[in-house]
Amino acid sequence: MNVKQVAINLISQVDKGAYSNIALNETFKTLNINSKEKAFITEIFYGIIRNKKFLDYIIEKNTKEVKKEWIRNLLRISIYQITFMNSDDKGVVWEATELAKKKYGVPISKFINGTLRNYLRNKESELKKLDDEKNYEVLYSIPKWFYDILEKQHGENNLKQAITSLKKIPYLSVRVNKLKYSEEEFEEFLKEKDIQIIKKVDTVYYVNSGLIINSEEFKTGKIIAQDASSYLAAKNLGAMPNELVLDICAAPGGKTAVLAEEMKNSGEVIAIDIHQHKIKLIDTNMKKLGINIVKAIVMDARNVNKQGRKFDKILVDVPCSGYGVIRKKPEILYSKNRENVEELVKLQLEILNSATDILKDGGELIYSTCTITDEENTNNIKKFLEDRKEFKVEKLYIPENVLGDYDKLGGFCINYKEEIMDNFYIIKLKKGEKC
């Protein structure tokens, strides 16, 4: 099968509501293609999702109307290659023309050829015009309401950097499971495989090869796929051996595993999630990693204060808009809106208040999100602290090579300043006696 046909099918799936990472992984399972072909499909697939608004704008500028989904996706792929990849532009036009000829015949192939040649002639002036007019909504494919949020939070001077940081191609990151493996052993393994370390944060490594996911080290639980941002959220809880710890909205269990490892696999971690199938995923991952102190339970986090136990420490990683992981899930930009954020803010506060009810006096809690909106982060915690005077903010552990900003409360947002890691918000709270 032609690799561009594969990409066309994938784009169509996401347009109809599929998750990009799941669609891509499931497709690759069915294909017998080499790593170079996989890399090409991955780049154009994610590149088109990241830049869909721009690509459709260019198509509309250069055509009267495109009714057929297949033709639109072929144009998206070709315009993406011409604009964002170091491609042979004439070769891109020729290949698109030939694909269209095989699919729909000569008239459509001529239409494809003419459209792409017209864009090639006007590309530089078109891009310059969008940039000069600061039409970043189109140039960088972001919704107007989200553009407004970024401008309000980061100011006009940092706006372009904030937008472009969300469009970067992510690196694979894995964490060494110290219950089974050591950093020294893992680094020796990387040397043997000629895999380069892009960035290291404690036991989390960003590497330049996805082949590591197929290794025995991964299959046997010596390493686990995890971003350093989520690792730091769990690390900062400071879970200790023999403590009773609660992990809220825990699936798939990456942060749960960090907690258990910090506890030397001694004590008890209650990991809750609202979905039964995700509980099975947590159990599977813990078994693979050699962890036996985790008890995974189906529970609505809003009702966690009704379960009857008090905890030494609680990790509250709440459901959020996910704008911190746009690099990995670019379709988020098109599937969420302002109303979604407002609904999530209410849910997050509800979960946080429920969790804090069952935290022991003197106990500590981490509130975290994988998003960058102030509404879900700083503003939410500000509201919480105004109502719950018995809580105070504690100091965080943030390694020197992790970039971002502290907010006025003492929370840390890994943001556009960080080139490699997911964007994330983390704040640590300690419970005193009620005033």
Side-chain angles (χ1 to χ4, degrees):
M1 179 181 278
N2 183 282
V3 290
K4 287 190 178 178
Q5 182 60 60
V6 174
I8 286 170
N9 294 343
L10 281 166
I11 297 160
S12 177
Q13 288 181 49
V14 172
D15 280 345
K16 291 171 183 173
Y19 292 111
S20 59
N21 57 331
I22 295 173
L24 188 66
N25 291 336
E26 290 301 314
T27 296
F28 281 165
K29 286 178 185 177
T30 66
L31 298 176
N32 183 24
I33 56 176
N34 61 42
S35 57
K36 189 175 180 181
E37 289 170 322
K38 283 184 179 180
F40 177 77
I41 291 169
T42 302
E43 177 167 359
I44 59 175
F45 172 54
Y46 277 117
I48 286 158
I49 300 171
R50 288 188 187 99
N51 297 282
K52 188 164 71 171
K53 192 170 186 177
F54 166 80
L55 297 170
D56 287 349
Y57 168 85
I58 294 298
I59 290 170
E60 287 162 17
K61 286 271 290 185
N62 289 276
T63 64
K64 286 184 179 179
E65 188 177 19
V66 178
K67 291 183 179 180
K68 292 187 181 295
E69 180 187 45
W70 190 93
I71 294 172
R72 177 174 290 275
N73 284 334
L74 179 61
L75 287 171
R76 283 171 169 172
I77 289 171
S78 305
I79 294 167
Y80 176 78
Q81 285 183 277
I82 290 167
T83 311
F84 300 102
M85 294 178 69
N86 185 24
S87 300
D88 170 12
D89 292 343
K90 290 182 179 178
V92 170
V93 175
W94 179 85
E95 186 174 9
T97 302
E98 290 301 304
L99 279 171
K101 188 187 293 182
K102 289 178 183 177
K103 180 80 173 178
Y104 289 113
V106 173
I108 295 298
S109 73
K110 286 183 176 179
F111 165 75
I112 294 288
N113 186 283
T115 300
L116 295 177
R117 285 185 177 277
N118 190 49
Y119 174 58
L120 270 173
R121 283 192 295 271
N122 301 311
K123 182 183 77 167
E124 297 306 324
S125 61
E126 192 63 63
L127 294 175
K128 185 177 185 305
K129 182 183 177 186
L130 289 169
D131 196 39
D132 288 346
E133 293 175 352
K134 294 187 178 179
N135 191 349
Y136 299 153
E137 296 167 60
V138 170
L139 191 59
Y140 298 113
S141 294
I142 65 167
K144 178 67 167 66
W145 72 270
F146 188 59
Y147 170 96
D148 291 341
I149 282 179
L150 293 177
E151 185 176 38
K152 181 181 177 182
Q153 291 187 188
H154 302 300
E156 192 173 331
N157 291 339
N158 299 317
L159 178 60
K160 187 173 180 179
Q161 187 182 352
I163 294 171
T164 55
S165 76
L166 299 173
K167 300 292 181 173
K168 293 182 184 296
I169 297 172
Y171 290 99
L172 173 70
S173 56
V174 294
R175 181 177 63 80
V176 172
N177 174 14
K178 292 177 78 173
L179 297 174
K180 283 189 170 187
Y181 209 31
S182 71
E183 294 168 71
E184 292 76 18
E185 288 173 306
F186 181 57
E187 289 178 17
E188 187 60 36
F189 164 79
L190 293 177
K191 282 182 184 177
E192 289 173 5
K193 301 295 182 182
D194 196 27
I195 296 173
Q196 303 300 311
I197 300 170
I198 307 299
K199 185 184 181 85
K200 181 178 183 290
V201 179
D202 289 3
T203 56
V204 178
Y205 292 76
Y206 293 82
V207 295
N208 69 341
S209 173
L211 297 177
I212 200 169
I213 297 299
N214 300 318
S215 67
E216 281 302 308
E217 283 71 13
F218 184 83
K219 292 174 183 175
T220 56
K222 291 181 177 179
I223 55 174
I224 178 175
Q226 187 167 29
D227 195 88
S229 297
S230 67
Y231 158 79
L232 285 173
K235 171 78 174 178
N236 267 286
L237 186 59
M240 302 288 288
N242 301 316
E243 288 186 324
L244 176 60
V245 177
L246 176 63
D247 185 6
I248 286 177
C249 307
K255 288 183 285 294
T256 315
V258 175
L259 299 176
E261 186 180 303
E262 291 290 302
M263 295 165 70
K264 312 294 185 194
N265 205 24
S266 176
E268 187 176 7
V269 179
I270 304 298
I272 69 167
D273 201 277
I274 199 169
H275 301 292
Q276 178 64 50
H277 70 280
K278 290 187 176 181
I279 295 300
K280 292 179 181 177
L281 182 60
I282 294 170
D283 286 337
T284 299
N285 283 332
M286 294 309 109
K287 185 176 180 181
K288 176 181 171 183
L289 296 168
I291 293 168
N292 56 26
I293 65 166
V294 172
K295 185 176 182 180
I297 300 172
V298 175
M299 187 180 292
D300 186 330
R302 292 170 294 185
N303 301 322
V304 72
N305 58 351
K306 298 175 183 176
Q307 52 72 56
R309 300 177 81 182
K310 291 264 187 178
F311 292 84
D312 297 298
K313 296 190 171 89
I314 303 177
L315 176 58
V316 187
D317 187 58
V318 291
C320 69
S321 58
Y323 289 119
V325 294
I326 287 174
R327 293 175 188 174
K328 292 174 180 171
K329 299 177 181 178
E331 68 273 15
I332 288 172
L333 272 178
Y334 315 110
S335 61
K336 302 270 176 76
N337 55 44
R338 166 68 77 176
E339 287 71 31
N340 294 141
V341 172
E342 291 169 357
E343 290 167 8
L344 284 164
V345 166
K346 294 176 185 176
L347 174 63
Q348 290 156 356
L349 264 179
E350 206 174 339
I351 290 172
L352 178 59
N353 275 301
S354 183
T356 52
D357 287 343
I358 54 171
L359 182 66
K360 293 178 182 177
D361 290 348
E364 293 173 324
L365 172 148
I366 288 288
Y367 174 90
S368 63
T369 74
C370 59
T371 196
I372 54 177
T373 68
D374 286 345
E375 290 97 324
E376 298 173 81
N377 298 333
T378 305
N379 296 355
N380 240 351
I381 296 300
K382 184 172 181 290
K383 287 178 196 171
F384 171 79
L385 291 173
E386 286 171 355
D387 291 337
R388 304 292 293 265
K389 304 293 186 185
E390 72 270 29
F391 281 87
K392 66 175 184 177
V393 177
E394 293 285 289
K395 186 178 180 181
L396 290 168
Y397 159 70
I398 304 294
E400 288 184 3
N401 67 337
V402 176
L403 302 182
D405 292 301
Y406 283 95
D407 66 10
K408 59 189 176 184
L409 303 175
F412 191 79
C413 189
I414 302 166
N415 58 21
Y416 68 92
K417 296 178 180 179
E418 174 55 57
E419 293 285 324
I420 307 295
M421 296 163 57
D422 287 345
N423 289 180
F424 226 83
Y425 179 79
I426 307 169
I427 192 166
K428 186 172 186 177
L429 305 175
K430 186 169 184 175
K431 186 177 186 179
E433 294 184 6
K434 285 192 176 181
C435 302

